[in-house]
Amino acid sequence: PPLGVAPYHPSMPASDYAAFGDDAAPRQTRGTIFMIMSCLLNVLLLVGIVVLSREDSGALAAPLAQRSAAPLYAMPGVAGMRNTDILTVDANRGKAKTRKAAAKRYKVTSTGKVFTKMAGKQHLNTKMSRKQQLALGKKRRVEAADIPNVQGCLPFVKVK
């Protein structure tokens, strides 16, 4: 540090900075000023939100029988909101896309049967006989209980 300026240390009391002049004090108070300014900004934001939400306070204070039948998703305090401003989107259905990992694992025949590789041939097969290993290399038909999962992964394939 330059001559006459004290090195800042959190454990050093503020009274020790007086010996170094006025240049050392701003380092310690800079964080305090920042905290005070951020608290003031938060208070101003909260006051603004409260003022905006009270614009429509007359409608909220009215008895339940006099209130208009507003939808549940309409936010009070937002000027100009109508039912037509909300776009309705079916959350259960998105764009149909083929899952590429499933497309590589399943093969669908022209008649709609689904085939996949048998499990158990990747490793630990030294104890298997040659006949058992060859049998695991063949394709097997996907069970009927798994067909809905395959249809969800492959939406453009006609599966029976």
Coordinates of all heavy atoms in Angstrom, one line a residue, residues 116-118 121 133-140:
T116 N -36.4 -55.9 -30.7 CA -35.2 -55.3 -30.1 C -34.2 -56.4 -29.8 O -34.5 -57.6 -29.9 CB -35.6 -54.6 -28.8 OG1 -34.5 -53.8 -28.3 CG2 -36.1 -55.5 -27.7
K117 N -33.0 -56.0 -29.4 CA -31.9 -56.9 -29.0 C -32.2 -57.5 -27.7 O -32.8 -56.9 -26.8 CB -30.6 -56.2 -29.0 CG -29.9 -56.0 -30.3 CD -28.7 -55.1 -30.2 CE -27.8 -55.5 -29.1 NZ -26.5 -54.8 -29.1
M118 N -31.7 -58.8 -27.5 CA -31.9 -59.4 -26.2 C -30.8 -58.9 -25.2 O -29.7 -58.5 -25.7 CB -31.7 -60.9 -26.3 CG -32.9 -61.6 -26.9 SD -32.7 -63.4 -26.6 CE -34.1 -64.0 -27.4
K121 N -25.7 -59.9 -23.3 CA -24.6 -60.3 -24.2 C -23.4 -59.4 -24.1 O -22.5 -59.6 -24.9 CB -25.1 -60.5 -25.6 CG -24.2 -61.4 -26.4 CD -24.7 -61.5 -27.8 CE -23.6 -62.3 -28.6 NZ -23.9 -62.3 -30.0
Q133 N -24.8 -68.0 -26.2 CA -24.4 -66.7 -26.7 C -25.0 -66.4 -28.0 O -25.4 -65.3 -28.3 CB -22.9 -66.7 -26.8 CG -22.2 -66.6 -25.4 CD -20.7 -66.5 -25.6 OE1 -20.2 -66.2 -26.7 NE2 -20.0 -66.8 -24.5
L134 N -25.1 -67.4 -28.9 CA -25.7 -67.2 -30.2 C -27.2 -66.9 -30.1 O -27.8 -66.1 -30.8 CB -25.5 -68.5 -31.1 CG -24.1 -68.7 -31.6 CD1 -24.0 -70.0 -32.3 CD2 -23.7 -67.5 -32.6
A135 N -27.9 -67.6 -29.1 CA -29.3 -67.3 -28.9 C -29.5 -65.9 -28.4 O -30.5 -65.3 -28.7 CB -29.8 -68.3 -27.9
L136 N -28.6 -65.4 -27.6 CA -28.7 -64.0 -27.1 C -28.5 -63.0 -28.2 O -28.9 -61.8 -28.1 CB -27.8 -63.7 -26.0 CG -28.1 -64.3 -24.6 CD1 -27.0 -64.1 -23.6 CD2 -29.4 -63.8 -24.1
G137 N -27.9 -63.4 -29.3 CA -27.6 -62.5 -30.4 C -28.9 -62.2 -31.3 O -28.9 -61.3 -32.1
K138 N -29.9 -63.0 -31.1 CA -31.1 -62.9 -32.0 C -31.9 -61.8 -31.5 O -31.8 -61.3 -30.3 CB -31.9 -64.2 -32.0 CG -31.1 -65.4 -32.6 CD -31.9 -66.6 -32.5 CE -31.2 -67.8 -33.2 NZ -31.9 -69.0 -33.1
K139 N -32.9 -61.3 -32.3 CA -33.8 -60.3 -31.9 C -35.0 -60.9 -31.2 O -35.3 -62.1 -31.5 CB -34.3 -59.6 -33.2 CG -33.3 -58.9 -34.0 CD -32.7 -57.7 -33.3 CE -31.7 -57.0 -34.3 NZ -31.1 -55.9 -33.6
R140 N -35.6 -60.2 -30.3 CA -36.8 -60.7 -29.6 C -37.9 -59.6 -29.8 O -37.6 -58.5 -30.0 CB -36.5 -60.9 -28.1 CG -36.3 -59.6 -27.3 CD -36.3 -59.9 -25.8 NE -36.2 -58.7 -25.1 CZ -37.2 -57.9 -24.7 NH1 -38.4 -58.4 -24.9 NH2 -37.0 -56.8 -24.0

